[in-house]
Amino acid sequence: MSAPVPTSGGAGQPPQQPGVVGRPVASQGVRAQPVPQAGVPGQGVPPVQGAPAGRAPARPRRAVRPARPSGGRPRIGFGLIGPRRERHALSLDQLESLALPVGDDGVMIGVDANSRPAVLGVNRPAPYDVTLIGGLWTAQILALRAAATGARVAVETGRTQVWAALAQAAGGGQPCITLHDVGRVPPQGASAGSPVVIVRDCGMRPPRGRVVSAPWQSVVTLLPYLSPVAPRLMRKSDLVGVQRVSPDEGEQIGRIMGLPQGEAAALTTLADGVTLWCTERDRQFVMTQATDAETGLLGAARRMD
């Protein structure tokens, strides 16, 4: 019969204690050092609190990071968390209430009878002619405010001395308002990025100008009174401005422009700074009010010079 299989690790090796694997006992006079184990008293490793003796401790759970308050640093790639509100819904009938009123684009020339801003759109992609039967003060206000919108203003005049101070003060040293003798206005090269307004202050009978209205180039002709050439200019103009005139002139202007009798009669009593701006379909009385800077440069509103 074969011999029983020894439980020792080999020949001449002492037998192992049952139930303990890999834990040798003393042999040949050498005392074996026990392997430190956690949780066993006297083994050199402090026991883990809450872990049973003789058993390896469980891996500690990862600490859960508390939720960041809404007012903290923004999440990476996202903005701050905003307030949560219910969705707003409108019916088709209510969408009309969302309309945003937007005024016209142009030169702020004054206020109307209801104290609302009145705007002249002189910078246009099509030729535009304006005739003003009125005073020099209103024409200079119009030129100064047109330059403030970014337009280049060329003044054709036979009285350079009354325009010199305005041309020097406008633009802060930049030549945004230039003065030219009658019939000597050079081509201006108007464009959408550089519109031009030409003011013709050439007296009662202005000659035909070398430079006419064109896309992004408007022409404003100033007439101090209703001259013989005024009817022709008024009929070809896109916009006509009339300040205080005599009763005879008021009647003639009323016939040319098709004004009601009451408005034609009111032309004789208009205050300084008030202008009736009219086209073929629209008419509006406008009061031009100068700013402090404009008053210091041009003085108070006046019809006569």
Side-chain angles (χ1 to χ4, degrees), residues 46-97:
V48 180
Q49 189 175 11
R55 185 175 299 177
R59 178 178 297 177
R61 294 183 179 180
R62 186 176 181 180
V64 179
R65 181 177 298 177
R68 189 182 302 276
S70 60
R73 297 175 56 188
R75 297 172 294 170
I76 298 178
F78 300 91
L80 293 175
I81 299 176
R84 296 297 183 261
R85 298 288 186 269
E86 295 182 0
R87 293 181 178 271
H88 297 279
L90 293 177
S91 63
L92 291 178
D93 297 335
Q94 293 174 320
L95 287 178
E96 226 179 285
S97 62

mmCIF file of all heavy atoms in Angstrom, residues 46-97:
data_model
loop_
_atom_site.group_PDB
_atom_site.id
_atom_site.type_symbol
_atom_site.label_atom_id
_atom_site.label_comp_id
_atom_site.label_asym_id
_atom_site.label_seq_id
_atom_site.Cartn_x
_atom_site.Cartn_y
_atom_site.Cartn_z
ATOM 1 N N PRO A 46 -2.493 49.224 13.486
ATOM 2 C CA PRO A 46 -3.663 49.557 14.297
ATOM 3 C C PRO A 46 -4.934 49.080 13.635
ATOM 4 O O PRO A 46 -5.052 49.085 12.405
ATOM 5 C CB PRO A 46 -3.613 51.088 14.372
ATOM 6 C CG PRO A 46 -2.833 51.511 13.196
ATOM 7 C CD PRO A 46 -1.823 50.417 12.964
ATOM 8 N N PRO A 47 -5.826 48.588 14.436
ATOM 9 C CA PRO A 47 -7.075 48.093 13.853
ATOM 10 C C PRO A 47 -7.887 49.227 13.258
ATOM 11 O O PRO A 47 -7.845 50.358 13.707
ATOM 12 C CB PRO A 47 -7.794 47.470 15.052
ATOM 13 C CG PRO A 47 -7.261 48.200 16.232
ATOM 14 C CD PRO A 47 -5.827 48.506 15.907
ATOM 15 N N VAL A 48 -8.593 48.915 12.172
ATOM 16 C CA VAL A 48 -9.492 49.862 11.524
ATOM 17 C C VAL A 48 -10.771 49.922 12.296
ATOM 18 O O VAL A 48 -11.375 48.881 12.577
ATOM 19 C CB VAL A 48 -9.749 49.467 10.058
ATOM 20 C CG1 VAL A 48 -10.695 50.455 9.386
ATOM 21 C CG2 VAL A 48 -8.431 49.397 9.302
ATOM 22 N N GLN A 49 -11.140 51.118 12.669
ATOM 23 C CA GLN A 49 -12.336 51.276 13.470
ATOM 24 C C GLN A 49 -13.568 50.844 12.698
ATOM 25 O O GLN A 49 -13.780 51.243 11.559
ATOM 26 C CB GLN A 49 -12.475 52.745 13.896
ATOM 27 C CG GLN A 49 -13.576 52.965 14.931
ATOM 28 C CD GLN A 49 -13.589 54.382 15.404
ATOM 29 O OE1 GLN A 49 -12.917 55.220 14.818
ATOM 30 N NE2 GLN A 49 -14.316 54.642 16.474
ATOM 31 N N GLY A 50 -14.329 49.974 13.318
ATOM 32 C CA GLY A 50 -15.548 49.486 12.680
ATOM 33 C C GLY A 50 -15.348 48.242 11.869
ATOM 34 O O GLY A 50 -16.313 47.688 11.348
ATOM 35 N N ALA A 51 -14.078 47.783 11.637
ATOM 36 C CA ALA A 51 -13.833 46.570 10.857
ATOM 37 C C ALA A 51 -13.695 45.399 11.795
ATOM 38 O O ALA A 51 -13.060 45.495 12.842
ATOM 39 C CB ALA A 51 -12.579 46.730 10.011
ATOM 40 N N PRO A 52 -14.232 44.209 11.483
ATOM 41 C CA PRO A 52 -14.116 43.038 12.354
ATOM 42 C C PRO A 52 -12.680 42.557 12.401
ATOM 43 O O PRO A 52 -11.932 42.687 11.445
ATOM 44 C CB PRO A 52 -15.062 42.032 11.713
ATOM 45 C CG PRO A 52 -15.158 42.449 10.291
ATOM 46 C CD PRO A 52 -15.035 43.939 10.294
ATOM 47 N N ALA A 53 -12.307 42.008 13.563
ATOM 48 C CA ALA A 53 -10.945 41.515 13.740
ATOM 49 C C ALA A 53 -10.672 40.348 12.828
ATOM 50 O O ALA A 53 -11.541 39.496 12.593
ATOM 51 C CB ALA A 53 -10.747 41.101 15.205
ATOM 52 N N GLY A 54 -9.429 40.345 12.302
ATOM 53 C CA GLY A 54 -9.025 39.245 11.432
ATOM 54 C C GLY A 54 -9.501 39.349 10.017
ATOM 55 O O GLY A 54 -9.304 38.422 9.237
ATOM 56 N N ARG A 55 -10.177 40.420 9.631
ATOM 57 C CA ARG A 55 -10.693 40.556 8.274
ATOM 58 C C ARG A 55 -10.187 41.879 7.684
ATOM 59 O O ARG A 55 -10.160 42.890 8.373
ATOM 60 C CB ARG A 55 -12.213 40.553 8.277
ATOM 61 C CG ARG A 55 -12.840 40.581 6.879
ATOM 62 C CD ARG A 55 -14.329 40.465 6.955
ATOM 63 N NE ARG A 55 -14.707 39.185 7.574
ATOM 64 C CZ ARG A 55 -15.983 38.857 7.820
ATOM 65 N NH1 ARG A 55 -16.945 39.706 7.535
ATOM 66 N NH2 ARG A 55 -16.258 37.691 8.368
ATOM 67 N N ALA A 56 -9.746 41.875 6.431
ATOM 68 C CA ALA A 56 -9.215 43.086 5.791
ATOM 69 C C ALA A 56 -10.287 44.162 5.705
ATOM 70 O O ALA A 56 -11.453 43.853 5.436
ATOM 71 C CB ALA A 56 -8.692 42.761 4.393
ATOM 72 N N PRO A 57 -9.903 45.417 5.990
ATOM 73 C CA PRO A 57 -10.920 46.487 5.962
ATOM 74 C C PRO A 57 -11.414 46.752 4.548
ATOM 75 O O PRO A 57 -10.685 46.568 3.571
ATOM 76 C CB PRO A 57 -10.166 47.696 6.516
ATOM 77 C CG PRO A 57 -8.745 47.438 6.174
ATOM 78 C CD PRO A 57 -8.559 45.938 6.299
ATOM 79 N N ALA A 58 -12.660 47.185 4.443
ATOM 80 C CA ALA A 58 -13.224 47.533 3.139
ATOM 81 C C ALA A 58 -12.620 48.843 2.631
ATOM 82 O O ALA A 58 -12.194 49.693 3.411
ATOM 83 C CB ALA A 58 -14.743 47.653 3.243
ATOM 84 N N ARG A 59 -12.572 48.969 1.305
ATOM 85 C CA ARG A 59 -12.037 50.193 0.712
ATOM 86 C C ARG A 59 -12.944 51.366 1.051
ATOM 87 O O ARG A 59 -14.162 51.294 0.880
ATOM 88 C CB ARG A 59 -11.954 50.040 -0.802
ATOM 89 C CG ARG A 59 -11.451 51.301 -1.520
ATOM 90 C CD ARG A 59 -11.351 51.071 -3.006
ATOM 91 N NE ARG A 59 -10.367 50.030 -3.311
ATOM 92 C CZ ARG A 59 -10.123 49.584 -4.559
ATOM 93 N NH1 ARG A 59 -10.788 50.096 -5.562
ATOM 94 N NH2 ARG A 59 -9.232 48.630 -4.756
ATOM 95 N N PRO A 60 -12.360 52.484 1.535
ATOM 96 C CA PRO A 60 -13.217 53.625 1.927
ATOM 97 C C PRO A 60 -13.925 54.221 0.720
ATOM 98 O O PRO A 60 -13.367 54.317 -0.368
ATOM 99 C CB PRO A 60 -12.223 54.620 2.539
ATOM 100 C CG PRO A 60 -10.916 54.255 1.953
ATOM 101 C CD PRO A 60 -10.940 52.749 1.774
ATOM 102 N N ARG A 61 -15.181 54.598 0.938
ATOM 103 C CA ARG A 61 -15.964 55.191 -0.144
ATOM 104 C C ARG A 61 -15.451 56.602 -0.465
ATOM 105 O O ARG A 61 -14.999 57.315 0.418
ATOM 106 C CB ARG A 61 -17.435 55.263 0.232
ATOM 107 C CG ARG A 61 -18.074 53.890 0.390
ATOM 108 C CD ARG A 61 -19.553 54.040 0.691
ATOM 109 N NE ARG A 61 -20.187 52.737 0.811
ATOM 110 C CZ ARG A 61 -21.484 52.569 1.076
ATOM 111 N NH1 ARG A 61 -22.249 53.647 1.242
ATOM 112 N NH2 ARG A 61 -21.988 51.365 1.161
ATOM 113 N N ARG A 62 -15.605 56.963 -1.757
ATOM 114 C CA ARG A 62 -15.199 58.299 -2.184
ATOM 115 C C ARG A 62 -16.186 59.323 -1.651
ATOM 116 O O ARG A 62 -17.401 59.148 -1.740
ATOM 117 C CB ARG A 62 -15.146 58.382 -3.711
ATOM 118 C CG ARG A 62 -14.597 59.695 -4.235
ATOM 119 C CD ARG A 62 -14.492 59.637 -5.748
ATOM 120 N NE ARG A 62 -13.946 60.860 -6.283
ATOM 121 C CZ ARG A 62 -13.752 61.086 -7.575
ATOM 122 N NH1 ARG A 62 -14.044 60.135 -8.457
ATOM 123 N NH2 ARG A 62 -13.256 62.228 -7.990
ATOM 124 N N ALA A 63 -15.615 60.418 -1.099
ATOM 125 C CA ALA A 63 -16.481 61.436 -0.510
ATOM 126 C C ALA A 63 -17.330 62.082 -1.589
ATOM 127 O O ALA A 63 -16.843 62.414 -2.672
ATOM 128 C CB ALA A 63 -15.648 62.501 0.209
ATOM 129 N N VAL A 64 -18.607 62.256 -1.331
ATOM 130 C CA VAL A 64 -19.534 62.882 -2.279
ATOM 131 C C VAL A 64 -19.404 64.388 -2.160
ATOM 132 O O VAL A 64 -19.552 64.957 -1.073
ATOM 133 C CB VAL A 64 -20.979 62.438 -1.999
ATOM 134 C CG1 VAL A 64 -21.927 63.119 -2.976
ATOM 135 C CG2 VAL A 64 -21.086 60.928 -2.091
ATOM 136 N N ARG A 65 -19.064 65.036 -3.283
ATOM 137 C CA ARG A 65 -18.900 66.485 -3.286
ATOM 138 C C ARG A 65 -20.265 67.155 -3.181
ATOM 139 O O ARG A 65 -21.173 66.825 -3.938
ATOM 140 C CB ARG A 65 -18.207 66.949 -4.554
ATOM 141 C CG ARG A 65 -17.976 68.449 -4.620
ATOM 142 C CD ARG A 65 -17.212 68.814 -5.869
ATOM 143 N NE ARG A 65 -15.891 68.175 -5.874
ATOM 144 C CZ ARG A 65 -15.031 68.277 -6.891
ATOM 145 N NH1 ARG A 65 -15.369 68.979 -7.947
ATOM 146 N NH2 ARG A 65 -13.859 67.668 -6.841
ATOM 147 N N PRO A 66 -20.388 68.052 -2.240
ATOM 148 C CA PRO A 66 -21.698 68.721 -2.106
ATOM 149 C C PRO A 66 -22.023 69.544 -3.343
ATOM 150 O O PRO A 66 -21.141 70.035 -4.044
ATOM 151 C CB PRO A 66 -21.526 69.618 -0.872
ATOM 152 C CG PRO A 66 -20.046 69.835 -0.771
ATOM 153 C CD PRO A 66 -19.414 68.565 -1.270
ATOM 154 N N ALA A 67 -23.306 69.671 -3.628
ATOM 155 C CA ALA A 67 -23.752 70.435 -4.804
ATOM 156 C C ALA A 67 -23.335 71.884 -4.672
ATOM 157 O O ALA A 67 -23.417 72.478 -3.602
ATOM 158 C CB ALA A 67 -25.271 70.325 -4.952
ATOM 159 N N ARG A 68 -22.875 72.461 -5.795
ATOM 160 C CA ARG A 68 -22.432 73.842 -5.779
ATOM 161 C C ARG A 68 -23.638 74.767 -5.765
ATOM 162 O O ARG A 68 -24.592 74.559 -6.502
ATOM 163 C CB ARG A 68 -21.587 74.133 -7.015
ATOM 164 C CG ARG A 68 -20.895 75.491 -6.964
ATOM 165 C CD ARG A 68 -20.113 75.707 -8.247
ATOM 166 N NE ARG A 68 -19.141 74.660 -8.465
ATOM 167 C CZ ARG A 68 -17.923 74.641 -7.927
ATOM 168 N NH1 ARG A 68 -17.578 75.625 -7.115
ATOM 169 N NH2 ARG A 68 -17.093 73.661 -8.184
ATOM 170 N N PRO A 69 -23.616 75.755 -4.922
ATOM 171 C CA PRO A 69 -24.767 76.686 -4.908
ATOM 172 C C PRO A 69 -24.890 77.409 -6.237
ATOM 173 O O PRO A 69 -23.928 77.558 -6.986
ATOM 174 C CB PRO A 69 -24.440 77.646 -3.760
ATOM 175 C CG PRO A 69 -22.958 77.548 -3.580
ATOM 176 C CD PRO A 69 -22.599 76.124 -3.937
ATOM 177 N N SER A 70 -26.105 77.880 -6.514
ATOM 178 C CA SER A 70 -26.366 78.518 -7.810
ATOM 179 C C SER A 70 -25.573 79.794 -7.996
ATOM 180 O O SER A 70 -25.334 80.234 -9.104
ATOM 181 C CB SER A 70 -27.873 78.826 -7.937
ATOM 182 O OG SER A 70 -28.264 79.686 -6.892
ATOM 183 N N GLY A 71 -25.138 80.443 -6.913
ATOM 184 C CA GLY A 71 -24.403 81.689 -7.039
ATOM 185 C C GLY A 71 -22.905 81.509 -7.106
ATOM 186 O O GLY A 71 -22.156 82.470 -7.022
ATOM 187 N N GLY A 72 -22.405 80.246 -7.231
ATOM 188 C CA GLY A 72 -20.970 79.996 -7.241
ATOM 189 C C GLY A 72 -20.366 80.195 -8.606
ATOM 190 O O GLY A 72 -20.926 80.858 -9.475
ATOM 191 N N ARG A 73 -19.182 79.569 -8.788
ATOM 192 C CA ARG A 73 -18.506 79.705 -10.074
ATOM 193 C C ARG A 73 -19.306 79.002 -11.159
ATOM 194 O O ARG A 73 -19.958 77.984 -10.918
ATOM 195 C CB ARG A 73 -17.107 79.108 -9.982
ATOM 196 C CG ARG A 73 -16.216 79.826 -8.974
ATOM 197 C CD ARG A 73 -14.900 79.115 -8.845
ATOM 198 N NE ARG A 73 -14.246 78.995 -10.144
ATOM 199 C CZ ARG A 73 -13.129 78.274 -10.334
ATOM 200 N NH1 ARG A 73 -12.571 77.636 -9.328
ATOM 201 N NH2 ARG A 73 -12.584 78.210 -11.522
ATOM 202 N N PRO A 74 -19.255 79.517 -12.388
ATOM 203 C CA PRO A 74 -20.034 78.893 -13.458
ATOM 204 C C PRO A 74 -19.490 77.529 -13.816
ATOM 205 O O PRO A 74 -18.317 77.230 -13.661
ATOM 206 C CB PRO A 74 -19.877 79.884 -14.623
ATOM 207 C CG PRO A 74 -18.609 80.611 -14.327
ATOM 208 C CD PRO A 74 -18.515 80.693 -12.837
ATOM 209 N N ARG A 75 -20.379 76.675 -14.278
ATOM 210 C CA ARG A 75 -19.958 75.359 -14.741
ATOM 211 C C ARG A 75 -19.106 75.513 -15.995
ATOM 212 O O ARG A 75 -19.291 76.428 -16.786
ATOM 213 C CB ARG A 75 -21.188 74.509 -15.048
ATOM 214 C CG ARG A 75 -22.050 74.248 -13.824
ATOM 215 C CD ARG A 75 -23.326 73.571 -14.235
ATOM 216 N NE ARG A 75 -24.143 74.471 -15.061
ATOM 217 C CZ ARG A 75 -25.214 74.079 -15.721
ATOM 218 N NH1 ARG A 75 -25.594 72.825 -15.682
ATOM 219 N NH2 ARG A 75 -25.902 74.946 -16.428
ATOM 220 N N ILE A 76 -18.193 74.570 -16.168
ATOM 221 C CA ILE A 76 -17.300 74.645 -17.320
ATOM 222 C C ILE A 76 -18.129 74.456 -18.583
ATOM 223 O O ILE A 76 -18.815 73.442 -18.747
ATOM 224 C CB ILE A 76 -16.198 73.583 -17.222
ATOM 225 C CG1 ILE A 76 -15.348 73.834 -15.962
ATOM 226 C CG2 ILE A 76 -15.335 73.578 -18.477
ATOM 227 C CD1 ILE A 76 -14.274 72.806 -15.753
ATOM 228 N N GLY A 77 -18.041 75.419 -19.479
ATOM 229 C CA GLY A 77 -18.772 75.325 -20.732
ATOM 230 C C GLY A 77 -20.205 75.789 -20.646
ATOM 231 O O GLY A 77 -20.912 75.792 -21.641
ATOM 232 N N PHE A 78 -20.662 76.195 -19.486
ATOM 233 C CA PHE A 78 -22.030 76.637 -19.318
ATOM 234 C C PHE A 78 -22.041 77.956 -18.558
ATOM 235 O O PHE A 78 -21.094 78.285 -17.852
ATOM 236 C CB PHE A 78 -22.871 75.595 -18.558
ATOM 237 C CG PHE A 78 -22.950 74.266 -19.253
ATOM 238 C CD1 PHE A 78 -22.037 73.271 -18.987
ATOM 239 C CD2 PHE A 78 -23.931 74.032 -20.200
ATOM 240 C CE1 PHE A 78 -22.107 72.047 -19.627
ATOM 241 C CE2 PHE A 78 -24.008 72.817 -20.852
ATOM 242 C CZ PHE A 78 -23.092 71.821 -20.569
ATOM 243 N N GLY A 79 -23.122 78.672 -18.678
ATOM 244 C CA GLY A 79 -23.258 79.909 -17.930
ATOM 245 C C GLY A 79 -23.866 79.670 -16.565
ATOM 246 O O GLY A 79 -24.097 78.521 -16.142
ATOM 247 N N LEU A 80 -24.113 80.757 -15.878
ATOM 248 C CA LEU A 80 -24.751 80.641 -14.578
ATOM 249 C C LEU A 80 -26.176 80.133 -14.734
ATOM 250 O O LEU A 80 -26.846 80.388 -15.729
ATOM 251 C CB LEU A 80 -24.757 82.001 -13.882
ATOM 252 C CG LEU A 80 -23.388 82.558 -13.477
ATOM 253 C CD1 LEU A 80 -23.556 83.955 -12.909
ATOM 254 C CD2 LEU A 80 -22.725 81.658 -12.463
ATOM 255 N N ILE A 81 -26.578 79.386 -13.754
ATOM 256 C CA ILE A 81 -27.932 78.869 -13.775
ATOM 257 C C ILE A 81 -28.873 80.004 -13.411
ATOM 258 O O ILE A 81 -28.801 80.564 -12.314
ATOM 259 C CB ILE A 81 -28.071 77.697 -12.803
ATOM 260 C CG1 ILE A 81 -27.126 76.564 -13.211
ATOM 261 C CG2 ILE A 81 -29.513 77.200 -12.760
ATOM 262 C CD1 ILE A 81 -27.138 75.406 -12.260
ATOM 263 N N GLY A 82 -29.737 80.349 -14.327
ATOM 264 C CA GLY A 82 -30.647 81.456 -14.104
ATOM 265 C C GLY A 82 -31.902 81.020 -13.390
ATOM 266 O O GLY A 82 -32.107 79.831 -13.091
ATOM 267 N N PRO A 83 -32.760 81.975 -13.099
ATOM 268 C CA PRO A 83 -34.011 81.634 -12.413
ATOM 269 C C PRO A 83 -34.912 80.825 -13.326
ATOM 270 O O PRO A 83 -34.880 80.951 -14.549
ATOM 271 C CB PRO A 83 -34.614 83.013 -12.087
ATOM 272 C CG PRO A 83 -34.013 83.938 -13.093
ATOM 273 C CD PRO A 83 -32.634 83.408 -13.359
ATOM 274 N N ARG A 84 -35.678 79.983 -12.720
ATOM 275 C CA ARG A 84 -36.605 79.133 -13.464
ATOM 276 C C ARG A 84 -37.986 79.757 -13.409
ATOM 277 O O ARG A 84 -38.517 80.034 -12.336
ATOM 278 C CB ARG A 84 -36.627 77.725 -12.881
ATOM 279 C CG ARG A 84 -35.287 76.998 -13.018
ATOM 280 C CD ARG A 84 -34.956 76.823 -14.501
ATOM 281 N NE ARG A 84 -33.726 76.071 -14.680
ATOM 282 C CZ ARG A 84 -32.553 76.611 -14.931
ATOM 283 N NH1 ARG A 84 -32.455 77.929 -15.008
ATOM 284 N NH2 ARG A 84 -31.484 75.867 -15.111
ATOM 285 N N ARG A 85 -38.538 80.035 -14.567
ATOM 286 C CA ARG A 85 -39.863 80.640 -14.655
ATOM 287 C C ARG A 85 -40.707 79.827 -15.631
ATOM 288 O O ARG A 85 -40.187 79.077 -16.460
ATOM 289 C CB ARG A 85 -39.773 82.089 -15.151
ATOM 290 C CG ARG A 85 -38.990 83.009 -14.229
ATOM 291 C CD ARG A 85 -39.759 83.298 -12.961
ATOM 292 N NE ARG A 85 -39.085 84.279 -12.125
ATOM 293 C CZ ARG A 85 -38.222 84.001 -11.174
ATOM 294 N NH1 ARG A 85 -37.915 82.710 -10.929
ATOM 295 N NH2 ARG A 85 -37.650 84.943 -10.459
ATOM 296 N N GLU A 86 -41.971 80.034 -15.519
ATOM 297 C CA GLU A 86 -42.859 79.376 -16.458
ATOM 298 C C GLU A 86 -42.729 80.030 -17.840
ATOM 299 O O GLU A 86 -42.422 81.199 -17.961
ATOM 300 C CB GLU A 86 -44.302 79.468 -15.964
ATOM 301 C CG GLU A 86 -44.547 78.720 -14.656
ATOM 302 C CD GLU A 86 -45.999 78.812 -14.239
ATOM 303 O OE1 GLU A 86 -46.771 79.448 -14.988
ATOM 304 O OE2 GLU A 86 -46.352 78.251 -13.188
ATOM 305 N N ARG A 87 -42.954 79.262 -18.851
ATOM 306 C CA ARG A 87 -42.865 79.771 -20.222
ATOM 307 C C ARG A 87 -44.028 80.729 -20.490
ATOM 308 O O ARG A 87 -45.137 80.530 -20.009
ATOM 309 C CB ARG A 87 -42.897 78.622 -21.228
ATOM 310 C CG ARG A 87 -41.668 77.742 -21.158
ATOM 311 C CD ARG A 87 -41.755 76.644 -22.202
ATOM 312 N NE ARG A 87 -40.565 75.824 -22.187
ATOM 313 C CZ ARG A 87 -39.473 76.074 -22.899
ATOM 314 N NH1 ARG A 87 -39.442 77.136 -23.686
ATOM 315 N NH2 ARG A 87 -38.427 75.275 -22.837
ATOM 316 N N HIS A 88 -43.699 81.774 -21.282
ATOM 317 C CA HIS A 88 -44.715 82.744 -21.657
ATOM 318 C C HIS A 88 -45.192 82.420 -23.073
ATOM 319 O O HIS A 88 -44.382 82.187 -23.972
ATOM 320 C CB HIS A 88 -44.166 84.171 -21.610
ATOM 321 C CG HIS A 88 -43.736 84.597 -20.237
ATOM 322 N ND1 HIS A 88 -44.627 85.041 -19.302
ATOM 323 C CD2 HIS A 88 -42.519 84.611 -19.641
ATOM 324 C CE1 HIS A 88 -43.985 85.339 -18.186
ATOM 325 N NE2 HIS A 88 -42.697 85.093 -18.363
ATOM 326 N N ALA A 89 -46.448 82.391 -23.247
ATOM 327 C CA ALA A 89 -47.020 82.089 -24.554
ATOM 328 C C ALA A 89 -48.053 83.152 -24.892
ATOM 329 O O ALA A 89 -48.787 83.645 -24.018
ATOM 330 C CB ALA A 89 -47.667 80.706 -24.548
ATOM 331 N N LEU A 90 -48.050 83.560 -26.167
ATOM 332 C CA LEU A 90 -49.000 84.556 -26.644
ATOM 333 C C LEU A 90 -49.807 83.959 -27.778
ATOM 334 O O LEU A 90 -49.295 83.159 -28.580
ATOM 335 C CB LEU A 90 -48.278 85.817 -27.132
ATOM 336 C CG LEU A 90 -47.553 86.667 -26.091
ATOM 337 C CD1 LEU A 90 -46.844 87.817 -26.778
ATOM 338 C CD2 LEU A 90 -48.505 87.203 -25.051
ATOM 339 N N SER A 91 -51.018 84.365 -27.862
ATOM 340 C CA SER A 91 -51.842 83.961 -28.995
ATOM 341 C C SER A 91 -51.510 84.833 -30.196
ATOM 342 O O SER A 91 -50.834 85.861 -30.085
ATOM 343 C CB SER A 91 -53.321 84.092 -28.640
ATOM 344 O OG SER A 91 -53.636 85.455 -28.382
ATOM 345 N N LEU A 92 -51.986 84.439 -31.342
ATOM 346 C CA LEU A 92 -51.707 85.206 -32.556
ATOM 347 C C LEU A 92 -52.295 86.609 -32.474
ATOM 348 O O LEU A 92 -51.735 87.565 -33.011
ATOM 349 C CB LEU A 92 -52.274 84.465 -33.773
ATOM 350 C CG LEU A 92 -51.561 83.159 -34.146
ATOM 351 C CD1 LEU A 92 -52.258 82.505 -35.324
ATOM 352 C CD2 LEU A 92 -50.101 83.415 -34.465
ATOM 353 N N ASP A 93 -53.418 86.742 -31.787
ATOM 354 C CA ASP A 93 -54.037 88.063 -31.663
ATOM 355 C C ASP A 93 -53.231 88.983 -30.768
ATOM 356 O O ASP A 93 -53.277 90.207 -30.907
ATOM 357 C CB ASP A 93 -55.456 87.929 -31.105
ATOM 358 C CG ASP A 93 -56.361 87.147 -32.040
ATOM 359 O OD1 ASP A 93 -56.062 87.136 -33.259
ATOM 360 O OD2 ASP A 93 -57.335 86.552 -31.567
ATOM 361 N N GLN A 94 -52.460 88.402 -29.834
ATOM 362 C CA GLN A 94 -51.677 89.218 -28.906
ATOM 363 C C GLN A 94 -50.310 89.600 -29.449
ATOM 364 O O GLN A 94 -49.629 90.439 -28.860
ATOM 365 C CB GLN A 94 -51.495 88.462 -27.584
ATOM 366 C CG GLN A 94 -52.778 88.253 -26.805
ATOM 367 C CD GLN A 94 -52.575 87.373 -25.586
ATOM 368 O OE1 GLN A 94 -51.850 86.386 -25.637
ATOM 369 N NE2 GLN A 94 -53.207 87.742 -24.486
ATOM 370 N N LEU A 95 -49.874 88.988 -30.549
ATOM 371 C CA LEU A 95 -48.559 89.313 -31.100
ATOM 372 C C LEU A 95 -48.471 90.761 -31.572
ATOM 373 O O LEU A 95 -47.399 91.337 -31.634
ATOM 374 C CB LEU A 95 -48.238 88.376 -32.267
ATOM 375 C CG LEU A 95 -47.903 86.935 -31.900
ATOM 376 C CD1 LEU A 95 -47.665 86.112 -33.153
ATOM 377 C CD2 LEU A 95 -46.683 86.873 -30.998
ATOM 378 N N GLU A 96 -49.618 91.332 -31.909
ATOM 379 C CA GLU A 96 -49.601 92.719 -32.367
ATOM 380 C C GLU A 96 -49.110 93.670 -31.289
ATOM 381 O O GLU A 96 -48.535 94.713 -31.562
ATOM 382 C CB GLU A 96 -51.021 93.123 -32.779
ATOM 383 C CG GLU A 96 -51.055 93.848 -34.123
ATOM 384 C CD GLU A 96 -52.470 94.202 -34.488
ATOM 385 O OE1 GLU A 96 -53.206 93.289 -34.882
ATOM 386 O OE2 GLU A 96 -52.824 95.377 -34.353
ATOM 387 N N SER A 97 -49.306 93.311 -30.033
ATOM 388 C CA SER A 97 -48.887 94.184 -28.933
ATOM 389 C C SER A 97 -47.378 94.229 -28.777
ATOM 390 O O SER A 97 -46.855 95.067 -28.041
ATOM 391 C CB SER A 97 -49.517 93.706 -27.622
ATOM 392 O OG SER A 97 -49.068 92.401 -27.303
#
